[in-house]
Amino acid sequence: MRQETRPMECALCSVKTGIHAMHPLYDMPGAEGRQLVLPATGVGFKKTEKRLAWVHSLCAQFICSNDGTRGCVYGTYDGGKWEIASDDDSDHVQKYEKGTKVSKMFDAGLFSGEILEYHPTEKLYTVVYEDGDREDLEEDEVEEMLVSRKQSRCSNETLNTDNQSKDDEGLAATEWFVISNDSKHSKIIAESRELKCTICNSIDKRSFRIPVQCSAWNKSEFSEFKKCHKKDKYEKKKPVCYLAMHVGCARWATSNYAGVKGKSLRMCYYYPGKEAGFVVKRLTRIQSAIYFAEFMPVRSWNT
């Protein structure tokens, strides 16, 4: 099967029009990976033939980095490699033991926690906090949270462009994206597809689409957004918004912009992390947030 026209349909959302950055969607990383095929749909003049699966680069990157769906979609580079090779990758061992104490500053204050388990395949640590919330973190993230060596982060550091790493190359190095099929991420994907996109109302159980839950009141949400959400002063428990959206629908369905103080604000925000040559202030890691219109921030932020 060949792609002879510029792709516009995204397999991860319901947007099928517009000129956006696109990447192919594969079944697996490595040389054996093959581009997925979307099935034929409809009948008669509405029938759509089988076609190769493509995704909006934004949709894939967002799902890859969002707290609720992290790792469900991931990028590959250099012929299908899916992690940066290094001299110690082949003999990488768990650095921090179960029970190691950590602490992390959230908008609600400083939370203590500890390492619950280590996932050698993904090289991720599951940390559980004192309030019961959990998150999977990479080794360098855990290192920054160690109670025994807690340090304040530099708030005005200039990056050296001569020492730009492969991590700074980001999306430019990505050749294709893959939907994870391991048991952990397959479960997350299946649970996400139980939610319905509030914008397109599509049912996703028989598609590649992955809805993302509203980020309102998410524990690791960027504080400049979090402080703007409406909250009932009589609410005793931490609020949770169970509404969900496809990333593309939230970003490009213009009729669903929220109006705040005369401005039309987006429902989808994505920040790819620090870039070489820029001054590091508050945002140094990837930030992704998606909101139903009722919970839109009152300020407009560039993506």
Side-chain angles (χ1 to χ4, degrees):
M1 185 174 293
R2 297 178 59 183
Q3 183 79 36
E4 297 182 344
T5 59
R6 193 188 194 288
M8 290 191 289
E9 179 181 8
C10 175
L12 295 176
C13 71
S14 295
V15 176
K16 301 179 181 180
T17 59
I19 306 299
H20 308 294
M22 307 286 286
H23 275 81
L25 183 65
Y26 273 52
D27 57 356
M28 66 175 69
E32 301 301 317
R34 295 291 181 270
Q35 190 168 357
L36 292 168
V37 175
L38 297 177
T41 57
V43 294
F45 69 92
K46 292 185 177 181
K47 183 176 181 180
T48 302
E49 300 295 340
K50 292 182 179 179
R51 62 269 186 214
L52 294 172
W54 292 77
V55 297
H56 293 131
S57 305
L58 173 65
C59 291
Q61 288 286 86
F62 191 107
I63 291 172
C64 178
S65 62
N66 184 262
D67 280 352
T69 55
R70 181 178 291 133
C72 291
V73 174
Y74 58 92
T76 68
Y77 73 102
D78 192 18
K81 296 177 183 177
W82 61 278
E83 58 183 357
I84 304 298
S86 67
D87 293 335
D88 6 78
D89 267 357
S90 58
D91 57 352
H92 186 277
V93 294
Q94 179 178 349
K95 187 173 181 179
Y96 303 111
E97 297 180 351
K98 178 180 177 180
T100 299
K101 302 299 182 183
V102 298
S103 62
K104 185 176 180 179
M105 179 62 73
F106 293 95
D107 293 324
L110 185 66
F111 282 75
S112 299
E114 63 179 44
I115 293 176
L116 185 65
E117 59 181 319
Y118 176 69
H119 307 282
T121 303
E122 298 90 354
K123 298 183 178 64
L124 295 175
Y125 293 85
T126 296
V127 171
V128 57
Y129 296 100
E130 56 190 280
D131 62 352
D133 282 359
R134 304 183 183 190
E135 65 175 339
D136 292 335
L137 302 169
E138 296 179 352
E139 191 169 272
D140 61 334
E141 295 176 297
V142 173
E143 185 174 2
E144 294 178 357
M145 296 164 53
L146 294 177
V147 173
S148 60
R149 52 169 297 179
K150 200 71 179 175
Q151 297 179 0
S152 59
R153 295 183 62 85
C154 175
S155 62
N156 194 27
E157 174 189 356
T158 302
L159 295 175
N160 186 348
T161 57
D162 296 331
N163 294 322
Q164 183 178 2
S165 67
K166 272 199 171 185
D167 288 337
D168 292 322
E169 294 176 13
L171 193 58
T174 304
E175 290 192 12
W176 67 74
F177 284 97
V178 178
I179 292 185
S180 298
N181 57 12
D182 60 81
S183 57
K184 175 185 175 182
H185 293 103
S186 293
K187 181 180 179 181
I188 295 175
I189 292 173
E191 290 175 348
S192 296
R193 287 174 178 158
E194 291 292 329
L195 302 171
K196 181 183 289 189
C197 175
T198 58
I199 298 173
C200 70
N201 292 314
S202 296
I203 297 174
D204 297 325
K205 292 182 179 180
R206 295 184 180 181
S207 74
F208 294 123
R209 294 187 297 266
I210 302 176
V212 180
Q213 190 171 336
C214 178
S215 300
W217 300 297
N218 186 297
K219 187 171 183 178
S220 60
E221 180 187 359
F222 183 43
S223 60
E224 296 298 331
F225 292 167
K226 194 168 189 175
K227 67 185 181 182
C228 299
H229 305 325
K230 297 177 182 178
K231 183 179 178 181
D232 190 334
K233 63 181 179 180
Y234 300 107
E235 183 71 52
K236 294 182 179 180
K237 295 181 179 180
K238 182 177 69 173
V240 177
C241 179
Y242 293 101
L243 297 175
M245 292 149 281
H246 299 129
V247 177
C249 293
R251 178 62 182 85
W252 290 298
T254 55
S255 60
N256 289 281
Y257 276 33
V260 178
K261 295 184 177 180
K263 295 182 179 180
S264 294
L265 304 182
R266 301 170 184 165
M267 300 171 70
C268 173
Y269 294 83
Y270 178 77
Y271 175 76
K274 64 183 180 182
E275 297 183 33
F278 283 76
V279 175
V280 178
K281 292 185 178 179
R282 296 188 60 187
L283 292 174
T284 59
R285 294 190 179 278
I286 293 175
Q287 297 281 341
S288 55
I290 195 166
Y291 301 96
F292 186 60
E294 181 180 349
F295 301 112
M296 287 300 299
V298 297
R299 291 182 61 187
S300 178
W301 293 79
N302 294 325
T303 54

